[in-house]
């Protein structure tokens, strides 16, 4: 019986005296104490890698003590740096040391040894500890039997030192006669006894690589303590008796199955056949071949109902996908329309390119000529994939600034800066008149000479401005002589009397010099100023997976007046051209980021290759003929033809149909577009179908296609 059971028996009156009870204040409620039987020195329980000899060694450590001990206050007073944690039972304190919750636990050596063995706490070490106070152990009697106390005290006093030594050695010594018959040899049983959720049931668990069955049940005796019935049985011994019978049963069952299987197959055929048909219909639904799904013929009612269910599901899915496709395409067309609406000069481009591309693709599919004889879209899904790519081919233009897309003159930014330059010419005109008047006042006799000089200066200003204005339009190739003249005109000067740093935005203020100039300031008629150079805010980089091969200019924009006016061809600088071409990079980034389904997987590719060439000089990937599929080549020609015939571009006039075809032919000769596709474009009449549907009559002139087809 454990210490708790003894105390309970004592409280119930079964025992008259308790022996070897620590004389501490918390135990005084038990009754009256006799004189000390003997004193027990303290021992300490620690983990195997720790060692403490004195209490001061525990400063800064967590020390476990039983909550009813009198030395707690003494330790707190003398050793305030020790963190004391109290527990109700010895086994709780020992487990706390074992699990690292506290650093040590103090109690009598015999108590520590017994409890650790009883609860299988084997990873601790125990040794003596020097403490000024020893543990005093006495006998305890109920208050009503206090009369016996004098007799017991006299008996204790009569004990000789040898007798006391014998009792102490017997009860508390290292060889103490402790009853270990109740020690449980399996730690699992201790755990199960402590947790009611494991009790009264058969538990299978592996221990030391062997499987066992455990069973623990609480059997209460007399109400004084808990008694547990426990058993542990190897799993192998449980199954050994039945394994042979099971093996025999398996062999017999297998033999019977071999006999019955052919018969079962024959009987199951009327059931299996419709099941296989149902599986085929289900596969059609999985492959999205909804129009091929049929109701299977069967006399089994349940299979017929299941077949009807699959058929109705196929119809519903087909209708749902149709609506989803209509929604997606409407949304894509909405995006394309928004891009067109963004610029009044490109309105309709994103709408017209799909029209001509689909016309052209249809004719290529119908062709029996050469390399196109085998070209076909495999199904409606591939045709839809191409159509969506055509709608989205310029979706990246949503990121391109309007003033770049619509740049109709070289000096155009958010407005045409030719007006600023014209005002400078006006200033020079007024200066020439003022110089003339001042000269006449100072030299009246030279009026005719001064007037002639004035007229020459005005004519020179008119000629120079006309030249600058014509250069700004960019309609002609800029020769080296013309570029030299722009620089000569730029070197003319005029006086500025106002501070050019006033009225600027915060961003503009960052670009002008901080040091003020003394007015008036002599300015050049045309100039490339530091504030004209617009730096990139973020470094531009491309994902290697996109395969982009474009040269990135140093600046984002260069608004220099001389720099722009000396553009040799057209109205765009290298920076402007890159900004426009960058819409293809935006297209790739936007479309590659979308989770297209498998049947639309090529949309990003189709939509991003219409600026590539057959000889590999295009952008953004510099692909060549071997890299471009037929649908991609169709989109290239469709995009160029629409752009050539469009009448809504500010930087060019609409080309007559014959001129547009001639330009396409030259591009085919230059390996810019596919020559075979170009000829099919003419021979199929696609160019005329498109012209009659979208071009004004005055733009549709006669085209002699034979000269192109015969070349």
């Amino acid at each position: 019986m454990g210490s708790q059971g003894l105390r309970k028996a004592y409280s119930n009156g079964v025992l008259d005296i308790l022996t070897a009870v620590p004389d501490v204040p918390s135990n005084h409620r038990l009754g009256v104490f006799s004189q000390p039987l003997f004193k027990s020195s303290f021992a300490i329980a620690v983990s195997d890698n720790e060692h403490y000899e004195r209490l001061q060694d525990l400063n800064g450590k967590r020390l476990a003590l039983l909550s009813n001990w009198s030395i707690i206050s003494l330790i707190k007073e003398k050793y305030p740096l020790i963190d004391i944690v109290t527990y109700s039972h010895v086994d709780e304190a020992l487990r706390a040391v074992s699990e690292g919750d506290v650093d040590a636990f103090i109690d009598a050596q015999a108590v520590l040894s017994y409890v650790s063995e009883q609860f299988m706490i084997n990873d601790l070490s125990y040794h003596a500890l020097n403490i000024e106070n020893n543990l005093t152990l006495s006998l305890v009697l109920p208050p009503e039997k206090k009369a016996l106390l004098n007799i017991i005290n006299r008996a204790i006093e009569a004990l000789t030192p040898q007798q006391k030594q014998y009792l102490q050695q017997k009860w508390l010594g290292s060889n103490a006669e402790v009853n270990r018959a109740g020690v449980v040899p399996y730690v699992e049983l201790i755990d199960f006894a402590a947790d009611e959720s494991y009790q009264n049931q058969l538990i299978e668990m592996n221990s030391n690589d062997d499987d066992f069955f455990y069973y623990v049940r609480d059997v209460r005796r007399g109400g004084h303590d808990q008694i547990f019935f426990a058993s542990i049985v190897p799993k192998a011994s449980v199954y050994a008796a039945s394994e042979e019978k099971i093996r025999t049963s398996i062999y017999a069952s297998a033999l019977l199955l071999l006999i019955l299987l052919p018969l079962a197959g024959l009987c199951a055929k009327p059931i299996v056949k419709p099941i296989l048909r149902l599986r085929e219909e289900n596969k059609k639904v999985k492959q999205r071949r909804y129009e091929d799904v049929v109701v299977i013929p069967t006399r089994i009612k349940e299979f017929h109902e299941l077949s009807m269910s699959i058929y109705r599901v196929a119809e519903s899915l087909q209708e749902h996908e149709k609506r989803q496709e209509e929604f997606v395409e409407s949304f894509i067309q909405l995006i394309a329309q928004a891009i067109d609406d963004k610029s009044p000069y490109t309105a309709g481009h994103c709408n017209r390119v799909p029209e001509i591309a689909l016309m052209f693709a249809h004719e290529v599919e119908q062709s029996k000529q050469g390399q196109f004889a085998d070209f076909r879209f495999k199904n409606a899904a591939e045709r839809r994939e191409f159509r969506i790519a055509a709608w989205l081919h310029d979706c990246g233009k949503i990121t391109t600034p309007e003033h770049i897309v619509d740049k109709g003159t070289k000096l155009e930014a958010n407005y045409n800066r030719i007006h600023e330059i014209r005002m400078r010419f006006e200033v020079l005109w007024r200066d020439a008149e003022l110089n003339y008047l001042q000269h006449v006042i100072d030299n009246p006799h030279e009026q005719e000479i001064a007037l002639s000089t004035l007229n020459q200066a005005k004519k020179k200003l008119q000629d120079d401005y006309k030249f600058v204005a014509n250069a700004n339009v960019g309609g002609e190739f800029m020769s080296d002589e013309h570029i030299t003249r722009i620089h000569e005109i730029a070197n003319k000067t005029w006086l500025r009397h106002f501070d050019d740093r006033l009225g600027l935005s915060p961003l503009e203020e960052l670009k002008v010099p901080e040091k003020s100039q003394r007015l008036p300031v002599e300015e050049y008629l045309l100039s490339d100023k530091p504030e004209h150079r617009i730096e990139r805010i973020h470094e531009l980089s491309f994902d290697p997976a996109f395969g982009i091969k474009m040269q990135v200019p140093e600046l984002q924009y260069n608004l220099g007046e001389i720099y722009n006016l000396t553009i040799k061809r057209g109205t765009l600088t290298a920076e402007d051209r890159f900004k426009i071409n960058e819409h293809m990079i935006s297209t790739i980034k936007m479309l590659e980021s979308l989770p297209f389904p498998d049947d639309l997987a090529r949309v990003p590719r189709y939509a991003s290759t219409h600026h590539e060439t057959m000889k590999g000089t295009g952008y953004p990937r510099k692909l060549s003929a071997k890299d471009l599929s037929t649908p991609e080549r169709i989109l290239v020609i469709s995009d160029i033809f629409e752009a050539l015939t469009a009448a809504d571009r500010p930087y060019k006039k609409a080309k007559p149909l014959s001129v547009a075809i001639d330009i396409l032919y030259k591009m085919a000769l230059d390996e810019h577009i596919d020559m075979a596709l170009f000829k099919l474009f003419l021979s199929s009449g696609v160019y005329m179908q498109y012209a009659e549907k979208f071009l004004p009559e005055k733009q549709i002139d006669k085209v002699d296609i034979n000269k192109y087809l015969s070349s």
Side-chain angles (χ1 to χ4, degrees):
M1 185 178 292
S3 61
Q4 295 298 324
L6 291 173
R7 290 200 178 195
K8 192 171 184 180
Y10 169 77
S11 300
N12 292 336
V14 177
L15 295 179
D16 294 320
I17 299 176
L18 274 178
T19 66
V21 178
D23 188 0
V24 294
S26 60
N27 284 338
H28 288 173
R29 59 182 174 78
L30 296 174
V32 292
F33 280 71
S34 70
Q35 291 183 7
L37 277 170
F38 37 75
K39 296 180 180 179
S40 173
S41 59
F42 288 102
I44 187 168
V46 295
S47 59
D48 289 340
N49 57 349
E50 300 290 346
H51 187 78
Y52 306 103
E53 295 183 355
R54 299 171 301 171
L55 274 176
Q56 50 264 45
D57 295 338
L58 293 167
N59 283 336
K61 305 293 183 180
R62 290 170 61 83
L63 175 62
L65 292 174
L66 294 181
S67 57
N68 58 3
W69 275 35
S70 60
I71 64 169
I72 293 177
S73 58
L74 176 65
I75 294 176
K76 284 184 176 180
E77 179 181 349
K78 290 192 173 184
Y79 305 99
L81 297 179
I82 297 177
D83 184 8
I84 295 176
V85 182
T86 60
Y87 294 89
S88 301
H89 303 289
V90 176
D91 63 299
E92 293 178 2
L94 288 175
R95 290 192 189 281
V97 177
S98 176
E99 294 170 2
D101 295 337
V102 295
D103 298 294
F105 171 57
I106 295 176
D107 206 322
Q109 176 70 43
V111 173
L112 295 178
S113 176
Y114 173 73
V115 174
S116 63
E117 182 175 359
Q118 183 184 26
F119 288 92
M120 298 183 184
I121 305 173
N122 303 319
D123 56 346
L124 302 179
S125 60
Y126 311 93
H127 55 268
L129 183 71
N130 292 327
I131 300 182
E132 297 174 3
N133 297 60
N134 290 324
L135 185 63
T136 300
L137 302 177
S138 305
L139 301 178
V140 179
L141 291 78
E144 62 271 17
K145 297 181 181 180
K146 186 175 180 180
L148 296 174
L149 187 61
N150 291 331
I151 298 173
I152 291 174
N153 284 339
R154 290 175 62 185
I156 293 173
E157 290 173 358
L159 290 173
T160 65
Q162 292 79 9
Q163 291 173 326
K164 287 185 178 182
Q165 180 66 29
Y166 170 76
L167 290 176
Q168 183 169 359
Q169 183 63 30
K170 180 178 180 179
W171 290 352
L172 302 178
S174 58
N175 298 318
E177 298 177 7
V178 179
N179 180 11
R180 289 174 169 79
V183 174
V184 180
Y186 298 99
V187 67
E188 294 87 351
L189 298 179
I190 297 293
D191 295 334
F192 295 162
D195 189 343
E196 290 186 2
S197 64
Y198 288 103
Q199 297 172 17
N200 302 321
Q201 59 180 304
L202 193 65
I203 298 173
E204 182 181 349
M205 184 177 292
N206 183 278
S207 177
N208 298 325
D209 297 328
D210 290 321
D211 292 327
F212 293 90
F213 286 113
Y214 296 86
Y215 183 81
V216 177
R217 182 181 181 86
D218 183 8
V219 182
R220 308 203 179 263
R221 292 185 179 178
H224 299 306
D225 207 349
Q226 287 181 300
I227 302 297
F228 291 94
F229 167 77
S231 70
I232 175 169
V233 181
K235 182 178 178 181
S237 65
V238 174
Y239 290 143
S242 57
E243 280 183 353
E244 184 62 32
K245 294 180 180 178
I246 294 172
R247 191 178 297 109
T248 302
S249 299
I250 291 174
Y251 291 152
S253 299
L255 181 61
L256 185 60
L257 283 174
L258 287 174
I259 297 172
L260 293 178
L261 276 176
L263 181 61
L266 184 62
C267 296
K269 192 172 182 180
I271 299 176
V272 172
K273 188 175 180 180
I275 290 177
L276 293 177
R277 289 287 305 276
L278 284 171
R279 186 177 68 176
E280 288 301 315
E281 298 308 306
N282 188 59
K283 188 182 296 184
K284 292 176 185 177
V285 174
K286 186 177 180 181
Q287 295 171 349
R288 299 167 68 184
R289 293 160 46 207
Y290 308 120
E291 65 280 356
D292 297 335
V293 177
V294 296
V295 179
I296 65 169
T298 176
R299 295 179 180 178
I300 302 175
K301 178 183 177 183
E302 289 77 6
F303 287 170
H304 176 74
E305 291 176 350
L306 181 57
S307 179
M308 286 296 298
S309 176
I310 293 175
Y311 181 76
R312 293 190 187 100
V313 167
E315 284 186 328
S316 299
L317 286 174
Q318 188 174 19
E319 179 64 23
H320 174 73
E321 286 200 3
K322 182 180 177 182
R323 292 181 180 178
Q324 287 292 98
E325 289 175 4
E326 290 174 352
F327 170 76
V328 170
E329 294 205 22
S330 298
F331 189 72
I332 289 170
Q333 292 175 23
L334 181 66
I335 294 174
Q337 187 63 50
I339 295 168
D340 278 347
D341 292 347
K342 182 170 178 276
S343 169
Y345 303 113
T346 60
H349 174 74
C350 289
N351 288 278
R352 293 191 292 264
V353 169
E355 292 280 352
I356 187 172
L358 290 171
M359 288 181 193
F360 195 9
H362 175 72
E363 293 299 330
V364 176
E365 282 189 286
Q366 302 303 314
S367 173
K368 306 297 182 183
Q369 303 176 16
Q371 67 191 74
F372 307 117
D374 297 328
F375 172 75
R376 298 288 185 279
F377 288 120
K378 294 179 182 178
N379 47 46
E382 286 196 359
R383 193 171 289 105
R384 176 172 176 259
E385 181 181 47
F386 176 75
R387 182 174 66 253
I388 288 176
W391 276 103
L392 292 173
H393 80 285
D394 267 349
C395 66
K397 280 187 177 177
I398 201 166
T399 66
T400 308
E402 289 178 42
H403 73 274
I404 297 294
V405 176
D406 304 337
K407 189 177 181 184
T409 63
K410 295 180 180 180
L411 290 173
E412 190 168 338
N414 289 320
Y415 66 97
N416 191 348
R417 293 177 293 154
I418 191 65
H419 305 299
E420 287 187 19
I421 292 172
R422 189 185 70 249
M423 287 306 300
R424 297 175 200 164
F425 275 93
E426 295 281 4
V427 170
L428 291 178
W429 183 283
R430 300 294 182 272
D431 287 349
E433 289 182 336
L434 291 174
N435 290 338
Y436 160 73
L437 294 173
Q438 186 63 49
H439 188 82
V440 169
I441 292 172
D442 295 339
N443 304 282
H445 57 285
E446 296 181 1
Q447 182 174 358
E448 290 186 8
I449 298 173
L451 182 59
S452 175
T453 302
L454 173 63
N455 290 335
Q456 291 176 8
K458 286 184 174 181
K459 185 178 185 306
K460 177 65 172 171
L461 288 173
Q462 289 283 5
D463 292 343
D464 287 347
Y465 177 71
K466 185 176 181 180
F467 179 78
V468 170
N470 287 335
N472 184 45
V473 174
E476 299 177 357
F477 177 76
M478 197 77 171
S479 66
D480 292 339
E481 292 78 8
H482 288 169
I483 292 174
T484 300
R485 185 175 177 186
I486 289 290
H487 282 281
E488 290 173 354
I489 295 172
N491 287 329
K492 294 179 181 293
T493 59
W494 60 284
L495 283 179
R496 175 171 58 82
H497 293 79
F498 295 90
D499 191 342
D500 62 354
R501 296 177 305 155
L502 298 178
L504 301 181
S505 69
L507 184 61
E508 289 175 310
E509 288 179 347
L510 296 175
K511 298 176 183 177
V512 298
E514 294 184 6
K515 187 176 181 180
S516 61
Q517 294 177 306
R518 191 166 181 175
L519 298 173
V521 176
E522 191 176 69
E523 296 272 11
Y524 287 108
L525 187 59
L526 303 172
S527 61
D528 291 340
K529 295 184 177 181
E531 53 264 35
H532 288 149
R533 295 170 59 87
I534 311 300
E535 303 285 346
R536 294 186 181 280
I537 299 175
H538 303 293
E539 182 180 354
L540 194 59
S541 60
F542 311 125
D543 188 334
F546 296 157
I548 296 171
K549 300 173 183 176
M550 292 176 63
Q551 189 67 35
V552 182
E554 176 189 357
L555 301 177
Q556 184 166 359
Y557 302 112
N558 189 334
L559 303 180
E561 295 165 347
I562 300 173
Y563 180 74
N564 276 264
L565 285 170
T566 55
I567 297 170
K568 288 198 170 185
R569 192 184 301 275
T571 62
L572 300 177
T573 64
E575 292 78 11
D576 297 335
R577 176 62 62 189
F578 178 81
K579 194 62 182 176
I580 289 179
N581 293 351
E582 193 181 10
H583 81 274
M584 289 311 308
I585 299 173
S586 298
T587 296
I588 292 172
K589 289 181 178 178
M590 291 166 65
L591 297 183
E592 289 289 356
S593 67
L594 295 177
F596 284 106
D598 291 342
D599 57 341
L600 297 177
R602 288 176 292 189
V603 166
R605 170 76 180 200
Y606 286 170
S608 62
T609 53
H610 58 280
H611 288 297
E612 303 290 353
T613 67
M614 301 295 286
K615 61 182 179 180
T617 57
Y619 68 92
R621 300 185 180 97
K622 296 192 181 301
L623 303 177
S624 59
K626 63 182 177 61
D627 305 309
L628 296 172
S629 64
T630 298
E632 291 172 300
R633 300 181 190 192
I634 291 172
L635 270 177
V636 171
I637 293 177
S638 302
D639 184 69
I640 295 173
F641 184 70
E642 192 286 328
L644 290 173
T645 56
D648 49 14
R649 306 297 171 91
Y651 44 82
K652 70 173 186 65
K653 295 179 180 179
K655 300 286 191 297
L657 189 58
S658 61
V659 175
I661 295 298
D662 194 61
I663 292 174
L664 276 179
Y665 175 65
K666 291 175 182 176
M667 295 178 77
L669 290 175
D670 192 36
E671 296 183 78
H672 193 103
I673 62 175
D674 187 324
M675 177 63 84
L677 264 181
F678 166 69
K679 291 182 177 181
L680 183 57
F681 184 67
L682 298 181
S683 63
S684 65
V686 173
Y687 76 98
M688 187 56 70
Q689 293 178 42
Y690 175 80
E692 291 174 349
K693 186 173 182 179
F694 292 102
L695 302 186
E697 271 189 47
K698 63 179 182 180
Q699 198 176 339
I700 305 174
D701 57 356
K702 185 176 180 180
V703 180
D704 181 10
I705 66 172
N706 291 322
K707 67 178 181 180
Y708 303 116
L709 296 177
S710 61
S711 61

